[in-house]
Amino acid sequence: MSSAYLQFDQVSKIFPGVKALNGVSFEARAGQVHGLLGENGAGKSTLLKILGGQYRPDGGRLVVGGQERHFSSAADAIAAGIAVIHQELQYVPELTVAENVLLGRLPQRFGFVNKAAARQLVRTRLAEIGVDLDPDARLMDLSIAQRQMVEICKAVLQDAQVIAFDEPTSSLSHRETEVLFKLVADLRAQGRTLIYISHRLEELYTLCDACTIFRDGRKVATHPVMAEVPRETLISDMVGRELNDIYGYRARPLGDERLKVTGLHGAALREPLSFSVRSGEVLGFFGLVGAGRSELMRLLYGADPRSQGQVALDGQVVSPRGPSAAIDAGIVLCPEDRKEQGILAESSVAENINISCRRHELLGGLFLRHRKEAARADAFIRRLRVKTPNREQEIRLLSGGNQQKVILARWLAEPGLKVLILDEPTRGIDVGAKNEIYQIIHEVAESGCCVIVISSELPEVLGISDRVIVMREGRISGELSRAAASETAVLSLALPDMQTQATAQAITA
């Protein structure tokens, strides 16, 4: 049997007001994939930051290859053969793929960076692991999924003995996910020690040999054989309660047509698109990565310029001037990339909640109602169960699921909310937080708002939607009622050609 190469022994980490890790102990073996499960804020990412040298533990020991290790920086961890791929990507947007992959160890000639050698080295290694990326492309010009692949490649090319993945498939296409799965299998066969965090249980069952479950900064259980653990046991261990139906769908009476989009067209779409949403309806949009779903919503919201078409709300045409006009009309968007486009990273939770609606409440155009803003922030923290020490905590220190709740709170605080657009609202979020966000979606719909949900997770779209629109290659390829929206029916509209049932099952997993 393979040996325990990586050991956490009573590891603890304390932040102001929060005990992020409380005496966590477990082992990960060489030649195996060890999964970490738990709700957002349970301590998984904190543990990886200790492993990667970004945080120092406040107690306990880290043992790697039989040696106790104390890292003072990420460079120390890399030198010790440890690579961590964080959920919040670490890259330099202005640099190229090759420069990001080889950052800190770029080949040199006569004291200068040898760009040709760097380009060729990265091109060769990318081809070896099956990734099709231009080494000369700048990161800022790539999609989120492509940037994620660059981070994965950077870690793999370090030839580390320990590689940790934090939600690596959260933004990957089916093809890129297949490449990653093959890569993980190859690394396992080479005897590497792999740590794998994901909220997609099917993914964990596919990849992981063993798993450890966290809750509220503590280790709840370690299961040495992942395949033998029932799904219900994992969920119960993670959330401390049973979740029989995480989607919690409840039928509601739908009102008249509220949002009408007619002939909307822009650079990313193949043809003008039209659709409508009724008051109280949850409309799901599904499609493979690159289908044009997010681009359509950005046109609707005014974030991207449209070449033609119009948006009408309650029969009144909404000005195409930009997002501010959409917000004033009652249309809001929670973007897919919450880090870059959703949060004010250096600001507090309260500031992030109040930033939009405060424009209605300036005293004499100059002064803010601080007490009212504090009360509003506290009310939404309680209502949405945001895990934060207090309203003044910087939002960047919250987990991804709690950041998403704060963005939701920002828009729910808007007076006159009529259309809520959610682009991948549960990406990288645990099953318990997903359940809470689904309940918020149902509550918003029951208030009479239109809710549009874009998701790459087919079970999610089917679980929460009253109706599903499917997109493929910049077009709307079909529309299905809730009763007619089976996995097979949706995938037959999403795929260029419906090949085998195995293909469909792989994508839904």
Side-chain angles (χ1 to χ4, degrees):
M1 176 178 278
S2 53
S3 59
Y5 187 83
L6 176 66
Q7 297 173 280
F8 295 92
D9 181 18
Q10 295 295 311
V11 173
S12 297
K13 182 64 183 178
I14 301 171
F15 297 108
V18 178
K19 199 158 193 176
L21 290 174
N22 191 354
V24 170
S25 299
F26 72 94
E27 299 178 346
R29 297 183 176 277
Q32 289 191 342
V33 182
H34 195 105
L36 299 187
L37 296 81
E39 293 188 277
N40 288 97
K44 309 180 303 298
S45 295
T46 299
L47 190 80
L48 292 198
K49 287 179 179 178
I50 289 174
L51 176 63
Q54 290 178 273
Y55 292 162
R56 294 187 185 184
D58 295 312
R61 301 186 311 140
L62 171 64
V63 180
V64 182
Q67 286 186 277
E68 185 173 341
R69 295 285 190 170
H70 302 274
F71 301 138
S72 59
S73 66
D76 287 350
I78 292 170
I82 294 171
V84 179
I85 304 155
H86 297 284
Q87 183 179 358
E88 301 296 344
L89 303 182
Q90 315 286 322
Y91 57 84
V92 183
E94 295 81 11
L95 297 183
T96 67
V97 169
E99 290 166 336
N100 271 276
V101 168
L102 297 174
L103 198 60
R105 50 200 180 92
L106 285 160
Q108 296 189 358
R109 187 181 184 189
F110 305 125
F112 297 93
V113 172
N114 189 337
K115 293 186 176 181
R119 186 184 305 118
Q120 186 56 45
L121 173 60
V122 171
R123 179 179 286 114
T124 300
R125 297 300 296 273
L126 290 177
E128 288 173 356
I129 60 178
V131 176
D132 182 18
L133 283 175
D134 179 3
D136 290 324
R138 292 188 304 172
L139 266 287
M140 66 173 61
D141 298 325
L142 301 182
S143 68
I144 296 174
Q146 289 170 322
R147 295 175 199 175
Q148 180 77 286
M149 291 306 294
V150 171
E151 284 294 289
I152 292 168
C153 293
K154 180 166 64 177
V156 172
L157 297 186
Q158 289 172 359
D159 294 324
Q161 178 60 37
V162 177
I163 302 178
F165 301 85
D166 191 355
E167 294 289 348
T169 65
S170 61
S171 59
L172 299 186
S173 68
H174 173 55
R175 164 63 184 149
E176 290 161 334
T177 298
E178 285 184 328
V179 171
L180 175 67
F181 281 16
K182 181 181 182 302
L183 190 57
V184 169
D186 291 344
L187 293 169
R188 177 204 277 130
Q190 294 168 17
R192 312 285 183 96
T193 302
L194 306 176
I195 301 292
Y196 198 94
I197 295 177
S198 177
H199 293 306
R200 298 177 178 178
L201 295 186
E202 295 84 357
E203 193 172 288
L204 291 163
Y205 277 112
T206 299
L207 294 177
C208 296
D209 302 291
C211 71
T212 293
I213 301 172
F214 289 68
R215 187 168 72 238
D216 298 328
R218 297 177 181 271
K219 185 190 83 170
V220 175
T222 290
H223 299 285
V225 183
M226 180 80 184
E228 295 179 357
V229 188
R231 178 189 177 99
E232 294 74 19
T233 300
L234 292 180
I235 293 175
S236 179
D237 283 347
M238 282 192 290
V239 304
R241 63 191 188 279
E242 291 187 5
L243 292 176
N244 296 320
D245 175 15
I246 67 168
Y247 303 111
Y249 176 82
R250 42 192 191 250
R252 72 197 75 80
L254 303 185
D256 297 331
E257 178 183 87
R258 169 152 256 192
L259 175 71
K260 185 173 184 178
V261 177
T262 307
L264 206 59
H265 196 214
L269 302 181
R270 299 288 291 275
E271 61 189 23
L273 302 182
S274 302
F275 67 93
S276 63
V277 194
R278 297 169 67 181
S279 173
E281 183 177 23
V282 178
L283 175 63
F285 268 79
F286 181 78
L288 305 182
V289 172
R293 302 160 302 161
S294 298
E295 291 80 3
L296 174 60
M297 295 307 149
R298 287 178 60 83
L299 291 173
L300 190 166
Y301 185 58
D304 291 335
R306 58 182 86 148
S307 57
Q308 67 181 78
Q310 70 176 24
V311 175
L313 192 57
D314 294 330
Q316 300 294 315
V317 175
V318 177
S319 167
R321 291 194 312 271
S324 60
I327 295 169
D328 286 340
I331 302 173
V332 301
L333 169 67
C334 293
E336 176 186 10
D337 189 346
R338 58 177 168 261
K339 179 183 177 183
E340 296 292 334
Q341 301 172 356
I343 65 170
L344 303 173
E346 303 300 323
S347 297
S348 68
V349 169
E351 178 83 3
N352 273 273
I353 291 174
N354 286 294
I355 189 66
S356 181
C357 65
R358 68 165 42 141
R359 71 188 190 283
H360 303 288
E361 300 168 348
L362 292 175
L363 288 175
L366 296 174
F367 303 105
L368 300 177
R369 298 178 186 265
H370 292 295
R371 288 185 181 178
K372 186 171 184 178
E373 289 198 351
R376 179 189 295 119
D378 288 341
F380 275 107
I381 288 169
R382 289 192 300 270
R383 176 183 168 188
L384 303 190
R385 297 174 63 182
V386 179
K387 292 182 180 179
T388 179
N390 53 62
R391 76 176 90 93
E392 298 305 323
Q393 178 83 324
E394 288 186 12
I395 192 172
R396 64 183 179 84
L397 299 177
L398 270 56
S399 67
N402 287 300
Q403 290 178 2
Q404 188 74 303
K405 289 180 185 180
V406 172
I407 298 170
L408 270 172
R410 177 191 304 162
W411 296 132
L412 295 180
E414 271 287 329
L417 175 63
K418 297 178 181 178
V419 180
L420 175 62
I421 305 171
L422 304 170
D423 194 350
E424 302 287 1
T426 64
R427 181 171 68 86
I429 292 177
D430 65 82
V431 65
K434 283 183 178 182
N435 176 255
E436 293 171 352
I437 287 175
Y438 298 147
Q439 296 311 309
I440 295 167
I441 289 172
H442 297 318
E443 289 172 12
V444 171
E446 287 167 352
S447 74
C449 288
C450 306
V451 183
I452 300 174
V453 179
I454 303 166
S455 178
S456 300
E457 295 189 36
L458 183 49
E460 178 172 83
V461 173
L462 299 177
I464 65 173
S465 303
D466 298 297
R467 183 165 51 101
V468 178
I469 288 178
V470 184
M471 292 189 65
R472 183 176 71 213
E473 298 175 347
R475 300 184 176 94
I476 290 177
S477 56
E479 178 181 318
L480 299 164
S481 67
R482 180 175 179 84
S486 67
E487 290 187 354
T488 301
V490 172
L491 285 170
S492 68
L493 294 169
L495 293 168
D497 51 67
M498 188 65 175
Q499 296 176 339
T500 64
Q501 191 172 2
T503 301
Q505 290 173 342
I507 292 174
T508 55

